[in-house]
Amino acid sequence: MSSNNTAHETAPQFAAHVFAALGDHTRLSLIEKLSDGQTRSIAGLSVDSHLTRQAITKHLHILEEAGLVISTKVGRESQFAFKPDTIEEVRAYLDSVSRQWDDALSRLRAFVER
Amino acid sequence: MSSNNTAHETAPQFAAHVFAALGDHTRLSLIEKLSDGQTRSIAGLSVDSHLTRQAITKHLHILEEAGLVISTKVGRESQFAFKPDTIEEVRAYLDSVSRQWDDALSRLRAFVER
DNA sequence: CATAAGTGCAACCTCCTGGTTGCCTTTATC
DNA sequence: GATAAAGGCAACCAGGAGGTTGCACTTATG
């Protein structure tokens, strides 16, 4: 939980930032599309959406700023690609929360059983 | 990815809903506190916050509606507890995204190596 | 019983978010 | 070179999110 955190946020701040980016069904569907490893242009990502290209563009920039996606400009179009690192960091964060829960459970169990 | 999904949302909708609930640092810190397994009242959760009790209440209701937390009224106070099931479902969702990515990677590798 | 503690409810406010439209710039393509 | 395709930028708008204040209600407590 640090390599992508360029803004020197604390772990929860970073996680909240990424969660906020994931907390929109349009953005989440963009992530799902790109997680197949293929690279897509803005027009390509907008084609089967009822939203405007500008709306998709805004969502992509939010995803990029959160570190979930990366873009490179090739020719007249900018290609967007999934960036799995940040997802991994967020998974690790959720693991830490779950681990605290599991530890609390086992402490409780030990207390009950003695 | 279904047991907590009472509103019959699709998996991505459910996940986006939970992510949106997690995408606020105040709510995330509430989750962190409660993930130690202890039960806390609204006043107890508001005591070391610069926010109003009402603000904390609103956040708790959002967390509860997302299935991340559960409340039971005991006496004059309502006790909030962490509910780990939903976190588990979201972790599973992130796993599915990562798995699609991994599959895409290995297909690419197989293609390159032949 | 009087009072304090813990909440719930509703109104209100400000600012951000998601979305649109319009227009201009840059690349391809015929 | 003219035209089409892809995108960037800025202004604008409605609605929701986060937060506050005020007050009423319920449950403990001295």
Side-chain angles (χ1 to χ4, degrees), chain A residues 1 14-19 22 66 68 84-96, chain B residues 19 22 90-91 94:
Chain A
M1 177 75 68
F14 174 74
H17 189 194
V18 177
F19 284 139
L22 292 175
L68 288 163
D85 318 38
T86 302
I87 289 272
E88 284 310 310
E89 299 200 29
V90 164
R91 287 211 303 159
Y93 175 79
L94 288 185
D95 283 348
S96 76
Chain B
F19 284 139
L22 292 175
V90 165
R91 287 211 302 159
L94 288 184

Short mmCIF file of all heavy atoms in Angstrom, two decimals, chain A residues 1 14-19 22 66 68 84-96, chain B residues 19 22 90-91 94:
data_model
loop_
_atom_site.label_atom_id
_atom_site.label_comp_id
_atom_site.label_asym_id
_atom_site.label_seq_id
_atom_site.Cartn_x
_atom_site.Cartn_y
_atom_site.Cartn_z
N MET A 1 0.83 -1.21 0.00
CA MET A 1 0.00 0.00 0.00
C MET A 1 0.85 1.24 0.00
O MET A 1 0.95 1.97 0.96
CB MET A 1 -0.90 -0.02 1.24
CG MET A 1 -1.77 1.22 1.41
SD MET A 1 -3.16 1.29 0.31
CE MET A 1 -4.13 -0.09 0.97
N PHE A 14 -5.83 6.83 0.97
CA PHE A 14 -5.62 6.25 -0.36
C PHE A 14 -6.73 5.28 -0.70
O PHE A 14 -7.31 5.32 -1.79
CB PHE A 14 -4.26 5.54 -0.39
CG PHE A 14 -4.01 4.80 -1.66
CD1 PHE A 14 -3.70 5.47 -2.83
CD2 PHE A 14 -4.07 3.41 -1.68
CE1 PHE A 14 -3.46 4.78 -4.01
CE2 PHE A 14 -3.83 2.72 -2.86
CZ PHE A 14 -3.54 3.41 -4.02
N ALA A 15 -7.06 4.41 0.25
CA ALA A 15 -8.11 3.41 0.01
C ALA A 15 -9.45 4.10 -0.26
O ALA A 15 -10.16 3.73 -1.20
CB ALA A 15 -8.22 2.47 1.20
N ALA A 16 -9.78 5.09 0.55
CA ALA A 16 -11.05 5.79 0.35
C ALA A 16 -11.09 6.44 -1.02
O ALA A 16 -12.12 6.44 -1.70
CB ALA A 16 -11.26 6.85 1.44
N HIS A 17 -9.96 6.98 -1.44
CA HIS A 17 -9.87 7.61 -2.75
C HIS A 17 -10.17 6.60 -3.87
O HIS A 17 -10.95 6.86 -4.79
CB HIS A 17 -8.46 8.19 -2.91
CG HIS A 17 -8.29 9.06 -4.12
ND1 HIS A 17 -7.07 9.44 -4.61
CD2 HIS A 17 -9.20 9.60 -4.95
CE1 HIS A 17 -7.22 10.18 -5.68
NE2 HIS A 17 -8.50 10.29 -5.91
N VAL A 18 -9.55 5.43 -3.77
CA VAL A 18 -9.77 4.40 -4.78
C VAL A 18 -11.20 3.88 -4.71
O VAL A 18 -11.86 3.69 -5.75
CB VAL A 18 -8.77 3.25 -4.60
CG1 VAL A 18 -9.04 2.15 -5.60
CG2 VAL A 18 -7.35 3.78 -4.76
N PHE A 19 -11.70 3.66 -3.50
CA PHE A 19 -13.08 3.18 -3.36
C PHE A 19 -14.05 4.17 -3.98
O PHE A 19 -15.02 3.78 -4.64
CB PHE A 19 -13.42 2.96 -1.89
CG PHE A 19 -12.81 1.72 -1.31
CD1 PHE A 19 -12.27 1.73 -0.03
CD2 PHE A 19 -12.79 0.54 -2.04
CE1 PHE A 19 -11.71 0.58 0.50
CE2 PHE A 19 -12.24 -0.61 -1.51
CZ PHE A 19 -11.69 -0.59 -0.24
N LEU A 22 -14.13 3.66 -7.54
CA LEU A 22 -14.82 2.41 -7.91
C LEU A 22 -16.32 2.48 -7.62
O LEU A 22 -17.08 1.64 -8.09
CB LEU A 22 -14.21 1.24 -7.15
CG LEU A 22 -12.78 0.85 -7.50
CD1 LEU A 22 -12.28 -0.25 -6.58
CD2 LEU A 22 -12.71 0.39 -8.95
N ALA A 66 -7.04 8.09 -9.91
CA ALA A 66 -7.04 7.15 -8.79
C ALA A 66 -6.03 6.04 -8.98
O ALA A 66 -5.83 5.21 -8.09
CB ALA A 66 -8.44 6.55 -8.59
N LEU A 68 -6.16 3.62 -11.25
CA LEU A 68 -6.76 2.36 -11.66
C LEU A 68 -6.56 2.09 -13.14
O LEU A 68 -6.78 0.97 -13.61
CB LEU A 68 -8.25 2.37 -11.33
CG LEU A 68 -8.58 2.27 -9.85
CD1 LEU A 68 -10.01 2.70 -9.57
CD2 LEU A 68 -8.36 0.84 -9.37
N PRO A 84 -3.39 -2.96 -12.89
CA PRO A 84 -3.85 -3.84 -11.80
C PRO A 84 -3.23 -3.54 -10.44
O PRO A 84 -3.75 -3.99 -9.43
CB PRO A 84 -3.44 -5.23 -12.29
CG PRO A 84 -2.31 -4.99 -13.20
CD PRO A 84 -2.53 -3.65 -13.83
N ASP A 85 -2.15 -2.79 -10.38
CA ASP A 85 -1.44 -2.57 -9.12
C ASP A 85 -2.35 -2.00 -8.03
O ASP A 85 -2.34 -2.46 -6.89
CB ASP A 85 -0.27 -1.61 -9.32
CG ASP A 85 0.50 -1.90 -10.59
OD1 ASP A 85 -0.14 -2.25 -11.60
OD2 ASP A 85 1.73 -1.74 -10.59
N THR A 86 -3.11 -0.97 -8.42
CA THR A 86 -3.93 -0.30 -7.41
C THR A 86 -5.01 -1.22 -6.86
O THR A 86 -5.28 -1.21 -5.65
CB THR A 86 -4.56 0.97 -8.02
OG1 THR A 86 -3.50 1.82 -8.50
CG2 THR A 86 -5.37 1.72 -7.00
N ILE A 87 -5.61 -2.00 -7.75
CA ILE A 87 -6.60 -2.98 -7.28
C ILE A 87 -5.96 -3.90 -6.26
O ILE A 87 -6.56 -4.23 -5.22
CB ILE A 87 -7.15 -3.80 -8.47
CG1 ILE A 87 -8.05 -2.92 -9.34
CG2 ILE A 87 -7.90 -5.03 -7.98
CD1 ILE A 87 -9.50 -2.89 -8.93
N GLU A 88 -4.73 -4.29 -6.52
CA GLU A 88 -4.04 -5.18 -5.58
C GLU A 88 -3.85 -4.51 -4.23
O GLU A 88 -4.03 -5.13 -3.18
CB GLU A 88 -2.69 -5.60 -6.16
CG GLU A 88 -2.77 -6.63 -7.26
CD GLU A 88 -3.64 -7.83 -6.85
OE1 GLU A 88 -3.42 -8.39 -5.75
OE2 GLU A 88 -4.55 -8.17 -7.62
N GLU A 89 -3.50 -3.25 -4.26
CA GLU A 89 -3.30 -2.54 -2.99
C GLU A 89 -4.59 -2.45 -2.21
O GLU A 89 -4.61 -2.59 -0.98
CB GLU A 89 -2.76 -1.13 -3.26
CG GLU A 89 -1.41 -1.15 -3.97
CD GLU A 89 -0.67 0.16 -3.79
OE1 GLU A 89 -0.88 0.83 -2.77
OE2 GLU A 89 0.13 0.52 -4.69
N VAL A 90 -5.68 -2.23 -2.91
CA VAL A 90 -6.97 -2.12 -2.24
C VAL A 90 -7.40 -3.49 -1.70
O VAL A 90 -7.98 -3.58 -0.61
CB VAL A 90 -8.01 -1.53 -3.20
CG1 VAL A 90 -9.40 -1.77 -2.68
CG2 VAL A 90 -7.78 -0.04 -3.35
N ARG A 91 -7.10 -4.52 -2.47
CA ARG A 91 -7.38 -5.87 -1.95
C ARG A 91 -6.60 -6.11 -0.67
O ARG A 91 -7.11 -6.67 0.30
CB ARG A 91 -7.02 -6.93 -2.99
CG ARG A 91 -7.99 -6.97 -4.15
CD ARG A 91 -8.10 -8.37 -4.70
NE ARG A 91 -6.83 -8.92 -5.13
CZ ARG A 91 -6.60 -10.21 -5.26
NH1 ARG A 91 -7.55 -11.08 -4.96
NH2 ARG A 91 -5.43 -10.64 -5.68
N ALA A 92 -5.36 -5.68 -0.65
CA ALA A 92 -4.53 -5.85 0.55
C ALA A 92 -5.12 -5.06 1.72
O ALA A 92 -5.13 -5.53 2.86
CB ALA A 92 -3.10 -5.40 0.28
N TYR A 93 -5.64 -3.88 1.41
CA TYR A 93 -6.26 -3.09 2.48
C TYR A 93 -7.46 -3.82 3.06
O TYR A 93 -7.61 -3.92 4.28
CB TYR A 93 -6.67 -1.72 1.94
CG TYR A 93 -7.42 -0.90 2.96
CD1 TYR A 93 -6.75 -0.23 3.96
CD2 TYR A 93 -8.81 -0.83 2.93
CE1 TYR A 93 -7.42 0.50 4.92
CE2 TYR A 93 -9.50 -0.11 3.89
CZ TYR A 93 -8.80 0.56 4.87
OH TYR A 93 -9.49 1.26 5.82
N LEU A 94 -8.31 -4.35 2.18
CA LEU A 94 -9.48 -5.09 2.67
C LEU A 94 -9.04 -6.31 3.48
O LEU A 94 -9.68 -6.69 4.46
CB LEU A 94 -10.37 -5.53 1.51
CG LEU A 94 -11.16 -4.40 0.83
CD1 LEU A 94 -12.08 -4.97 -0.23
CD2 LEU A 94 -11.95 -3.61 1.86
N ASP A 95 -7.93 -6.92 3.04
CA ASP A 95 -7.40 -8.04 3.81
C ASP A 95 -7.04 -7.61 5.22
O ASP A 95 -7.29 -8.33 6.19
CB ASP A 95 -6.17 -8.62 3.11
CG ASP A 95 -6.56 -9.48 1.91
OD1 ASP A 95 -7.77 -9.79 1.78
OD2 ASP A 95 -5.68 -9.82 1.12
N SER A 96 -6.45 -6.42 5.35
CA SER A 96 -6.05 -5.97 6.69
C SER A 96 -7.26 -5.75 7.58
O SER A 96 -7.25 -6.07 8.77
CB SER A 96 -5.21 -4.70 6.59
OG SER A 96 -6.04 -3.58 6.32
N PHE B 19 -18.76 -0.01 -2.72
CA PHE B 19 -17.58 0.83 -2.91
C PHE B 19 -17.90 2.29 -2.61
O PHE B 19 -17.11 3.00 -1.99
CB PHE B 19 -17.05 0.70 -4.34
CG PHE B 19 -16.30 -0.57 -4.58
CD1 PHE B 19 -16.47 -1.28 -5.77
CD2 PHE B 19 -15.43 -1.08 -3.63
CE1 PHE B 19 -15.78 -2.45 -6.00
CE2 PHE B 19 -14.73 -2.25 -3.85
CZ PHE B 19 -14.92 -2.94 -5.04
N LEU B 22 -17.83 2.80 0.95
CA LEU B 22 -16.47 2.78 1.49
C LEU B 22 -15.65 3.98 1.03
O LEU B 22 -14.58 4.24 1.59
CB LEU B 22 -15.76 1.50 1.03
CG LEU B 22 -16.29 0.18 1.61
CD1 LEU B 22 -15.57 -1.00 0.98
CD2 LEU B 22 -16.11 0.15 3.12
N VAL B 90 -17.23 -8.23 -1.46
CA VAL B 90 -16.52 -7.25 -2.28
C VAL B 90 -15.11 -7.73 -2.58
O VAL B 90 -14.60 -7.54 -3.68
CB VAL B 90 -16.53 -5.88 -1.58
CG1 VAL B 90 -15.52 -4.96 -2.19
CG2 VAL B 90 -17.91 -5.26 -1.69
N ARG B 91 -14.51 -8.39 -1.60
CA ARG B 91 -13.19 -8.97 -1.87
C ARG B 91 -13.30 -10.00 -2.99
O ARG B 91 -12.44 -10.07 -3.87
CB ARG B 91 -12.63 -9.62 -0.60
CG ARG B 91 -12.16 -8.61 0.43
CD ARG B 91 -11.02 -9.17 1.22
NE ARG B 91 -11.35 -10.42 1.89
CZ ARG B 91 -10.46 -11.29 2.30
NH1 ARG B 91 -9.17 -11.06 2.10
NH2 ARG B 91 -10.83 -12.38 2.92
N LEU B 94 -13.47 -8.22 -6.27
CA LEU B 94 -12.16 -7.76 -6.73
C LEU B 94 -11.32 -8.94 -7.22
O LEU B 94 -10.55 -8.81 -8.17
CB LEU B 94 -11.44 -7.02 -5.60
CG LEU B 94 -11.99 -5.64 -5.26
CD1 LEU B 94 -11.13 -4.97 -4.21
CD2 LEU B 94 -12.07 -4.77 -6.51
#
